Amino acid sequence: MALLQISEPGQAAAPHQRKLAVGIDLGTTNSLVASVRSGQAQTLPDADGEHLLPSVVRYRADAAPVVGAEAREAAATDPRNTISSVKRFMGRGLADICKGCSCTDYDFADSDSSVPRIRTAGGDVSPVEISAEILKSLKQRAEATLGGELAGAVITVPAYFDDAQRQATKDAAQLAGIQVLRLLNEPTAAAVAYGLDHGSEGVHVVYDLGGGTFDISILRLNRGVFEVMATAGNTALGGDDFDRAIAQWLVEQAGIDPQAIGAGQGRAILHEACRAKEQLSEVETVLVSLPLAGGGSWTGHLDRAQLNTLMDPLIRRTLSACRRAMRDAGIDTADVEDVVMVGGSTRSLRVRELVGEFFHCEPKANIDPDKVVAVGAAIQADILVGNKPDDEMLLLDVIPLSLGMETMGGLVEKIIPRNTTIPVARAQDFTTFKDGQTALAVHVVQGERELVDDCRSLARFELRGIPPMVAGAARIRVTFQVDADGLLSVSAREEASGVESAVQVKPSYGLSDDEIAGMLQDSMAHAEGDVAARMLREQQVEAERILESLDAALREDGDILSDEERRKLDAAIADLREAEAGDDARRIKTAIQALNAASTDFAARRMDASIQGAMAGHKIEEFS
Amino acid sequence: MPTTDLSSHYFDLFGLPVCYDVDPQVLAARYRELQRIVHPDKFAGGTDAERRSSVQMAARINEGFRVLKDPLDRARYLLELKGVALDDTSSAVDPAFLMEQMELREAMAEVRDSADPHRALQRVSEDIAARKRQITDNMARLLDEDDEASLQRAQDETRKLQFFRRLEEELDALDEELAGF
């Protein structure tokens, strides 16, 4: 007997119309992919039933890279080609990496490029490319499990990730062929997973301690609106650092000369430190065994008291960040409803103990701390892709670090303060200082300090095409805009003439558009299958998405356009439909651009109309 | 290039009458309502044009909320709408207020050396908050009129609020220092 398919109320009526969307937690130690199926957000396992994908990539000569558990096994025996915790390198320059003492773990190539590359048996690879391999693996897993092409993904990032780190994540997704619906902050994702479970209104704290990063976010939940009040953290503090501290102590105990430790031996010792740490959550003392250079091993003991001594200084640093976030949010521990634990490192008993003491409450960990972020991301992905048109959930996040501009004397002028709700746009007026000057450079940095050198350089924006005038006559309005992904874009306009400047972005720690295009070409050249077919399919999918979206919009609000405007828009739509049915990818791309331009007016007016409609209702109330 | 209409002012945008007193609950509710309409999350699958409009509009609504929520920013905004630009160079500062400023600065200077700095800082903070309230409680009466005299007084009172804000920022920095950040 055939089973009737009854869809849940509030979902798209016909199941086959549901789009496939996933949430991806691209973690330092482990990555996961999750999706909403039959109304439930669940992580997706691989063929062996494993949900966690170790964020480890092993490169080989003349063979495709290996991702996951298999790669991790090789870490001790093939350390130079097996990259772990690549997240620590995203959006970072070589100088930063060396400061953190990670540059000896791998063979970093000397290069002028701002993007560090690691020499492996499979070639020189950048952190973005390495992360792309992990994402590709998750994408394959999802498409195989869900039985179709992904329409998009929400990818999570630490809340404290700066612009360069976020852009690197987006670049990795692009290389992996994933359409990013949103970059979502990990604590916010966790809040979504918990919030919908319990729905308790008020102020919540999310304490997220992963393998390599720490975030604390303070959120207010009010009728389905998650409002981030403040966030703080450290993108170079996590479980890995506990492991390092433990490893250091063990090496001392064993009398091993730290300078004499080989790469393979070093990785093996770290693994052992990690194992011991995890086991001490279950037992009081563990036996530890370290491999020695000449062969054989040293054995010793590690107990809870010693572990706590090693972990406490690091945990205290996280509590310092908690204090700062609470100040910024203007709250006290008494105002907090609950504290949610996220990230594998929060399984540690000592972490739970000290956090509980600090907030005077028992931290919550009912949802698996490894999975909660991916689950929250999947919930949002389901909504963003359009599967739940009536959903009222709204996520209002913030920028974690102040954005500023370099001014005279190496000082920073803050443009957008930290914890400002995004999207946000602020404008600054500039003028020229030479007659006929047609270009202007703006150096943007991120951070809280007063000197440019103490902040993170994001990029240099070159504004070109300023109409030549007498020095000081031009009034150039530069607008700094941070979007919902937390990414900065800069635009500029000369006010008197109305001329928009062309903006060229030179990221300080990132890939230029050309470099990405180059990587995409390379990856496609090496991939199996027909490159041309893949590019055509990508354009077709994009075209379908836009056409569907516009169709729906016109059905609802087509009447706000005049006959003439409607005619022009319809022509652009017809053009794209025709291009899409063909097999010329470039023609489709051009038609998409033309349609975007043609629909700009409609989009703007439509939004105005919605707003005025909603507010008009209130005005009538007031006067009646 | 045509963009979303940014020429209307924030009171219009939030469907509120152009007056100084704003009910914070109503403002917050309108804010949520507006973001539910324009937020980029509603246009993740939309056209480039929709996404651009959405980011611009959401940013404008966030800014409007920020301005209308804060008593000082709201006062400055209303003065601007009424064609009165507030400059920081206060030409005629009334002597009574000068006294107030000196007293508060003295109190702040004594915080570090006091027996209980945290408590002393709290007292100065509460003092400033009380003085601000006195001004904001009276502001509507001045700002909602359109005559010269009232607007002039509104300007003076707003300048006082600006001074209090600067003091609060210094107090904040002092608090951070005492807390060891």
Side-chain angles (χ1 to χ4, degrees):
Chain A
M1 181 179 93
L3 288 172
L4 287 174
Q5 283 207 320
I6 303 173
S7 24
E8 233 178 77
Q11 287 184 358
H16 67 262
Q17 269 174 15
R18 281 180 69 79
K19 300 222 183 89
L20 297 178
V22 297
I24 293 179
D25 176 0
L26 186 60
T28 308
T29 312
N30 292 301
S31 297
L32 297 95
V33 59
S35 190
V36 173
R37 296 195 281 181
S38 314
Q40 278 274 68
Q42 311 159 318
T43 51
L44 306 176
D46 65 13
D48 298 322
E50 296 295 331
H51 291 250
L52 272 64
L53 176 73
S55 304
V56 184
V57 182
R58 181 181 178 209
Y59 286 90
R60 306 173 294 176
D62 308 321
V66 179
V67 181
E70 205 189 311
R72 190 179 49 186
E73 312 284 283
T77 51
D78 191 13
R80 294 299 199 201
N81 293 318
T82 310
I83 323 293
S84 311
S85 302
V86 66
K87 191 165 173 176
R88 299 188 92 133
F89 304 150
M90 295 285 270
R92 289 288 176 259
L94 203 48
D96 302 298
I97 293 172
C98 287
K99 234 190 296 175
C101 302
S102 305
C103 65
T104 49
D105 294 343
Y106 306 109
D107 197 4
F108 280 92
D110 277 322
S111 103
D112 286 328
S113 166
S114 64
V115 176
R117 279 184 166 74
I118 298 176
R119 283 217 178 87
T120 73
D124 287 357
V125 284
S126 65
V128 166
E129 288 159 288
I130 301 168
S131 297
E133 291 301 329
I134 300 171
L135 289 173
K136 266 189 240 174
S137 178
L138 292 172
K139 179 179 184 222
Q140 274 159 21
R141 182 194 293 191
E143 288 181 336
T145 312
L146 301 172
E149 220 169 5
L150 289 187
V154 166
I155 303 185
T156 61
V157 290
Y160 220 54
F161 251 19
D162 65 27
D163 192 277
Q165 292 165 309
R166 282 164 200 268
Q167 190 57 59
T169 306
K170 234 182 164 180
D171 292 343
Q174 192 183 358
L175 273 183
I178 294 176
Q179 162 92 342
V180 177
L181 295 166
R182 169 79 60 245
L183 284 183
L184 178 61
N185 288 340
E186 283 152 21
T188 312
V192 167
Y194 269 95
L196 296 181
D197 233 26
H198 307 99
S200 89
E201 313 274 285
V203 175
H204 303 262
V205 167
V206 178
Y207 180 98
D208 182 353
L209 186 58
T213 61
F214 169 66
D215 277 329
I216 170 188
S217 276
I218 301 176
L219 299 98
R220 190 197 304 277
L221 173 54
N222 183 322
R223 281 172 249 219
V225 179
F226 293 76
E227 206 178 309
V228 176
M229 296 167 73
T231 196
N234 193 321
T235 59
L237 176 61
D240 284 358
D241 300 283
F242 294 142
D243 296 344
R244 242 176 282 271
I246 296 165
Q248 236 175 337
W249 183 81
L250 288 175
V251 160
E252 265 168 54
Q253 299 302 303
I256 299 174
D257 174 13
Q259 308 287 8
I261 299 176
Q265 189 190 14
R267 290 292 267 286
I269 294 175
L270 274 173
H271 278 196
E272 182 66 358
C274 181
R275 183 198 65 80
K277 171 191 76 178
E278 287 173 359
Q279 268 204 276
L280 283 168
S281 288
E282 314 283 318
V283 299
E284 296 275 342
T285 317
V286 283
L287 191 66
V288 217
S289 168
L290 300 187
L292 294 172
S297 58
W298 170 88
T299 52
H301 283 96
L302 179 63
D303 65 14
R304 274 196 190 154
Q306 181 56 47
L307 178 65
N308 292 352
T309 307
L310 294 167
M311 286 179 57
D312 282 0
L314 294 164
I315 301 176
R316 257 183 260 123
R317 279 167 64 190
T318 67
L319 296 180
S320 217
C322 291
R323 236 174 263 122
R324 162 165 258 192
M326 292 207 302
R327 270 181 53 88
D328 284 350
I331 59 154
D332 206 70
T333 52
D335 302 313
V336 175
E337 279 293 325
D338 55 29
V339 180
V340 166
M341 299 262 100
V342 178
S345 298
T346 59
R347 283 209 170 82
S348 149
L349 294 175
R350 189 60 170 174
V351 169
R352 290 200 185 173
E353 191 189 326
L354 293 183
V355 172
E357 244 174 54
F358 181 86
F359 286 103
H360 308 296
C361 72
E362 184 76 38
K364 271 190 169 152
N366 356 7
I367 306 184
D368 185 334
D370 281 322
K371 298 185 177 172
V372 64
V373 166
V375 164
I379 293 170
Q380 201 204 18
D382 195 42
I383 297 172
L384 294 186
V385 90
N387 289 340
K388 297 187 96 171
D390 299 323
D391 199 280
E392 289 283 285
M393 181 176 90
L394 189 61
L395 303 182
L396 301 173
D397 226 309
V398 299
I399 185 176
L401 296 154
S402 301
L403 270 178
M405 207 171 57
E406 175 170 3
T407 58
M408 291 282 153
L411 295 173
V412 179
E413 185 175 327
K414 280 207 186 132
I415 306 164
I416 301 176
R418 70 174 184 270
N419 293 317
T420 303
T421 305
I422 52 180
V424 58
R426 294 275 158 89
Q428 291 271 11
D429 286 334
F430 291 76
T431 191
T432 51
F433 63 93
K434 270 198 307 200
D435 286 343
Q437 184 178 343
T438 58
L440 198 65
V442 179
H443 180 207
V444 180
V445 301
Q446 217 169 0
E448 310 310 317
R449 312 285 291 278
E450 311 215 319
L451 298 176
V452 161
D453 288 341
D454 294 331
C455 291
R456 258 198 101 60
S457 171
L458 281 192
R460 281 173 166 75
F461 294 86
E462 285 176 9
L463 315 169
R464 295 171 183 286
I466 301 170
M469 295 180 194
V470 167
R475 195 158 70 86
I476 302 142
R477 169 146 290 191
V478 179
T479 302
F480 299 85
Q481 181 189 85
V482 179
D483 64 18
D485 290 334
L487 291 170
L488 171 69
S489 59
V490 172
S491 60
R493 206 177 122 93
E494 201 289 304
E495 292 295 290
S497 59
V499 172
E500 300 247 353
S501 303
V503 180
Q504 202 179 59
V505 184
K506 292 184 163 36
S508 305
Y509 301 106
L511 300 164
S512 67
D513 286 338
D514 287 337
E515 281 177 285
I516 300 237
M519 281 179 178
L520 269 166
Q521 295 275 46
D522 286 345
S523 76
M524 287 207 251
H526 289 131
E528 285 156 27
D530 188 354
V531 171
R534 211 188 106 173
M535 282 178 59
L536 176 63
R537 183 78 202 120
E538 273 174 17
Q539 292 301 328
Q540 282 172 334
V541 167
E542 174 83 351
E544 274 162 35
R545 192 179 63 73
I546 293 175
L547 286 169
E548 203 185 302
S549 181
L550 257 178
D551 266 349
L554 281 169
R555 250 179 285 134
E556 258 184 56
D557 295 315
D559 54 338
I560 66 175
L561 291 171
S562 73
D563 288 338
E564 176 63 17
E565 290 167 328
R566 182 59 186 264
R567 209 186 44 77
K568 281 201 186 129
L569 188 53
D570 284 338
I573 290 175
D575 208 42
L576 179 56
R577 275 225 170 82
E578 207 188 294
E580 197 231 330
D583 56 9
D584 184 349
R586 212 171 327 182
R587 180 165 167 219
I588 302 179
K589 192 164 181 183
T590 313
I592 288 176
Q593 281 165 354
L595 182 51
N596 271 324
S599 64
T600 301
D601 236 4
F602 177 49
R605 251 190 278 164
R606 203 173 161 233
M607 188 156 296
D608 280 340
S610 307
I611 293 174
Q612 284 182 30
M615 295 299 112
H618 291 300
K619 290 195 175 120
I620 295 170
E621 278 159 37
E622 260 144 39
F623 294 125
S624 59
Chain B
M1 173 162 52
T3 55
T4 350
D5 178 16
L6 304 176
S7 59
S8 63
H9 54 65
Y10 294 144
F11 289 96
D12 257 358
L13 186 56
F14 282 75
L16 294 169
V18 185
C19 332
Y20 182 70
D21 285 335
V22 167
D23 182 337
Q25 305 252 27
V26 172
L27 179 63
R30 298 284 164 90
Y31 170 66
R32 285 192 294 267
E33 203 182 328
L34 285 168
Q35 284 294 14
R36 278 209 171 90
I37 297 171
V38 311
H39 196 269
D41 283 355
K42 304 292 174 189
F43 298 95
T47 62
D48 268 10
E50 284 175 316
R51 289 195 284 216
R52 215 175 326 137
S53 276
S54 161
V55 175
Q56 280 178 352
M57 210 57 213
R60 183 166 162 77
I61 288 166
N62 278 331
E63 185 64 10
F65 185 49
R66 189 188 70 79
V67 167
L68 294 181
K69 207 179 6 169
D70 180 81
L72 167 55
D73 291 324
R74 196 186 326 134
R76 277 162 60 161
Y77 188 66
L78 263 170
L79 282 170
E80 232 176 83
L81 286 180
K82 292 182 193 266
V84 179
L86 201 70
D87 49 60
D88 272 329
T89 58
S90 33
S91 33
V93 185
D94 94 79
F97 188 58
L98 266 174
M99 272 305 285
E100 239 185 291
Q101 288 186 39
M102 271 169 41
E103 281 165 10
L104 283 168
R105 285 212 171 279
E106 259 174 49
M108 267 183 66
E110 287 165 6
V111 165
R112 266 200 198 87
D113 301 322
S114 89
D116 186 347
H118 190 74
R119 182 80 197 92
L121 198 146
Q122 199 125 325
R123 253 182 279 124
V124 178
S125 184
E126 282 161 10
D127 188 355
I128 295 178
R131 291 174 203 246
K132 273 168 58 179
R133 254 190 318 271
Q134 261 189 327
I135 293 179
T136 55
D137 283 347
N138 202 34
M139 191 68 89
R141 237 164 295 156
L142 299 172
L143 265 176
D144 294 346
E145 302 303 318
D146 272 320
D147 64 280
E148 264 305 323
S150 302
L151 282 183
Q152 189 56 246
R153 282 224 55 207
Q155 246 191 311
D156 294 336
E157 295 296 273
T158 303
R159 281 203 200 96
K160 290 183 187 171
L161 284 181
Q162 261 173 193
F163 168 73
F164 289 136
R165 170 175 285 175
R166 277 197 294 276
L167 267 190
E168 282 177 324
E169 282 167 5
E170 288 175 34
L171 266 182
D172 225 34
L174 182 54
D175 190 26
E176 257 194 60
E177 195 193 304
L178 292 175
F181 275 113

